[in-house]
Each structure stands twice: as structure tokens, then as C-alpha cells.
Amino acid sequence: MADGTEAALRELSDYLGDDMAACNRAIVERMDSPVALIPQLAAHLVAAGGKRLRPLLTLASARLCGYEPGPTRQRHVSLAACVEFIHTATLLHDDVVDDSLLRRGLASANAVFGNKASVLVGDFLFARSFQLMTDDGSLKVMAILSSASATIAEGEVLQMSTQNDLSTSIEQYLEVIHGKTAALFAAACRVGAVVAGRPEAEELALESYGTNLGMAFQLVDDALDYAADQAILGKTVGDDFREGKITLPILAAYAAGSDEDRIFWRRVIEDSEQSPEDLDRALSLIEATNAIETTLSRAAVYAQAARDALEIFPESRLRRLLQDTAGYTVSRAR
């Protein structure tokens, strides 16, 4: 990750330091269970760290909308923890589906504890998230977060159905990343406005910010799979290639390639016939066709749309921090 992105997120996290500390306490507390394996696996996830970007967005959105917490007013904290549980549950399941060995630079939970434990603890975290939704007591909050949970699952299934299929359109690819990533970003932001009791126009502005930020974030992640070293990426470089995932770098390289290049892409992606040297050739073709820049240029458009969505709110340090977070998202791969 580029220094600019780290600095933007660090500044946002520092600004919301008390809220983030309360959120982290809530996460640890709600991960507890008398079933020993659950807190053990949870401790592994906590130790792996992570940016906590999604709960941070909930906290920031609530504060941007003027929510004032107190001893008995901690809805934004509980819902931020809820958002993190939804996200972590999907990561656990994703790593099993993808047979991933690394997560955030460390051994993934399924590599350490096995697939069965990862799936079941993921189910536990989903259940915890719905407990937090019902504890909040708002049907509107539940509608937003439960709808996002269903959309995430649909996005993952759609991604599976497009796997190894080079006829996938860019529109279908964008639908996948909207479902698997942007939907939760959007929900995380919108519930912040709901708990603050703000007008629907502000809810929708924050939902737009989250959607566009999530789209930019996933596009950059997909670019990084072909443009980062493993230490930066936090997972094995080339995982998407080996799994035959259809992402924009692949689609752009395939569309811009020669007939010979397309024969190569069909063999390695559609037929899943890969030799050890094929990743290097894929990287060369992606570079030669400027597929990474194509991907990042599209991400930059979404990042700008995210920044623009916040113009409805008065100028403030928090608005600037959220806009900077969107702006720096694309710099992760540059």
C-alpha cells in the first residue's frame, strides 16, 4: 500500500480514536464463546490486523452527520462491529472457496484451522452480526445491512459463475465487484446517517460515497494481483490468475491482445492449463497492453465520484479525511 493511503487511513482512524477503540472492544467481546475453537480462531483473525476500513466508515459517517455518542448512545459502535463481522465472515468463506493460504500477509484461518472450522466460524460471525442488528432495534438498519449481506452472497456466486469465462463483459465484471465489495461499503456508510437521524438525501449521499469507494477499492485490489509484490499485497501474487478469476486486468489484456495472445489467455484461463512460467507471460502481456493503467483509470473515476458525493455536507476536517481516503485509494497501485 502506498504511503499516501496509509497516511489517510491513519489520520482518519486517529481522528476517530475513541470510537475505534470502543469498536475494537465490542468486536473482541462479541467474538467470545464457550466453544474454545471460536475465540481461538477469532484471536488469529484479530492478530492478522487489517485496516478495519468498513467499520471506520460507519463511525465516520455517523460523526459526519452529527451523531453525538454518550454512555447510552453507542449505536454507531455496535453497528460498526456488525459491519466488521459481516466482512470477516465473508473473508473466512472466501478463503475456503478460493483455497487461499495467505490473508493479510499471514497464514489464512483455513490454512491454520482447516476448512470446516473456517466455514462454521464464518457462520457464527454472520449470526453475531444479525444479533447486533436486532439489538439496535431499527428495522431500517436491519433492512440495509441484511440486504447488503444477501447482495454480497449474490456477488460471490456471480463471480463463481463467470470464473474461467473470457466472454464475461465488463458490465458483468462490474456487477460482480459491486456485489462482493461495494454493497457493504455502501451499507456501512448509509447506516451512519440512519443512526444520526439525518434526511434521506444525506443517507443516499453517503451510500453513493460508499458504493463508489468500494468499486474503486476492488478495482485497485484486482490490479494489485498483477502489479504488487507479495509483502504489499498480503496474499499470494497471481492468485486470481491461478484461480481463473475474471478481473478487469485480464479482460483489458485479452481485448487488446493479438490472436496469439488470446490463444494463450484461453488456454490458461478458460482451459485452466497452466505451467509454472505462464504467470510471467501473463504479467508481460498485461504490462504490454497497459491493462493495469486501464483498470486504475476506471478506479480513479469511481474515487472522484466518491469525493463528489460528499459535497452535500458542509466543509469539515472529517469530510476532507473521507474525501482523501477516496482519493488515495487509487494510489495503492501507483
Side-chain angles (χ1 to χ4, degrees):
M1 181 183 295
D3 290 342
T5 311
E6 288 182 343
L9 289 178
R10 186 166 55 247
E11 190 175 354
L12 182 60
S13 185
D14 288 347
Y15 183 83
L16 299 166
D18 291 344
D19 287 348
M20 278 303 296
C23 179
N24 286 332
R25 288 193 297 271
I27 288 169
V28 171
E29 178 184 331
R30 290 291 186 142
M31 279 182 166
D32 195 22
S33 168
V35 180
L37 184 58
I38 292 174
Q40 287 173 12
L41 196 150
H44 175 81
L45 295 173
V46 171
K51 296 176 287 295
R52 295 264 200 268
L53 176 55
R54 293 155 187 83
L56 190 59
L57 291 174
T58 297
L59 299 173
S61 297
R63 292 292 199 152
L64 184 68
C65 289
Y67 183 78
E68 290 293 340
T72 59
R73 281 173 58 83
Q74 293 288 310
R75 292 177 67 193
H76 67 320
V77 169
S78 296
L79 291 175
C82 173
V83 166
E84 181 67 3
F85 283 151
I86 294 171
H87 174 57
T88 305
T90 63
L91 292 185
L92 286 170
H93 291 164
D94 287 352
D95 284 346
V96 171
V97 170
D98 296 339
D99 198 23
S100 298
L101 300 179
L102 287 177
R103 169 65 62 182
R104 295 166 179 161
L106 299 175
S108 60
N110 53 300
V112 176
F113 297 94
N115 286 342
K116 292 179 181 179
S118 290
V119 169
L120 294 174
V121 174
D123 291 344
F124 170 83
L125 294 180
F126 264 129
R128 275 286 193 253
S129 75
F130 278 85
Q131 285 179 326
L132 286 163
M133 287 181 221
T134 54
D135 288 349
D136 181 74
S138 166
L139 286 177
K140 188 169 191 177
V141 164
M142 181 173 285
I144 291 168
L145 291 174
S146 62
S147 176
S149 299
T151 301
I152 293 167
E154 289 172 341
E156 295 291 351
V157 173
L158 183 58
Q159 178 172 259
M160 185 176 64
S161 69
T162 63
Q163 194 159 319
N164 304 107
D165 184 2
L166 288 167
S167 69
T168 301
S169 67
I170 291 177
E171 289 70 26
Q172 287 173 310
Y173 162 75
L174 294 174
E175 185 181 354
V176 167
I177 67 173
H178 175 269
K180 63 178 281 190
T181 301
L184 186 57
F185 275 69
C189 292
R190 185 169 185 173
V191 295
V194 173
V195 301
R198 301 305 300 166
E200 186 177 35
E202 293 184 17
E203 287 182 33
L204 295 177
L206 281 165
E207 182 179 64
S208 176
Y209 170 81
T211 298
N212 285 290
L213 178 63
M215 295 294 287
F217 187 90
Q218 188 59 56
L219 279 159
V220 173
D221 258 16
D222 290 347
L224 283 171
D225 199 70
Y226 295 97
D229 64 47
Q230 192 161 299
I232 293 174
L233 190 59
K235 63 179 183 177
T236 309
V237 171
D239 273 352
D240 289 354
F241 174 76
R242 283 181 281 270
E243 293 160 17
K245 283 186 181 178
I246 302 300
T247 61
L248 190 52
I250 292 288
L251 292 176
Y254 182 73
S258 65
D259 290 343
E260 182 182 350
D261 295 340
R262 289 176 184 156
I263 291 171
F264 166 79
W265 287 118
R266 286 193 291 271
R267 173 174 64 80
V268 296
I269 298 298
E270 292 196 331
D271 299 336
S272 298
E273 295 178 2
Q274 296 183 7
S275 58
E277 64 273 10
D278 284 335
L279 177 59
D280 287 339
R281 183 177 177 191
L283 294 174
S284 295
L285 293 178
I286 285 171
E287 182 178 3
T289 54
N290 292 316
I292 296 299
E293 189 54 40
T294 297
T295 303
L296 296 181
S297 294
R298 189 175 287 257
V301 172
Y302 283 111
Q304 184 59 49
R307 291 171 61 88
D308 293 344
L310 296 184
E311 292 295 326
I312 188 176
F313 297 97
E315 170 62 34
S316 66
R317 184 183 176 198
L318 186 51
R319 192 189 83 171
R320 177 181 60 78
L321 290 173
L322 285 168
Q323 288 177 318
D324 286 349
T325 297
Y328 282 125
T329 294
V330 182
S331 72
R332 293 187 301 150
R334 281 182 165 153

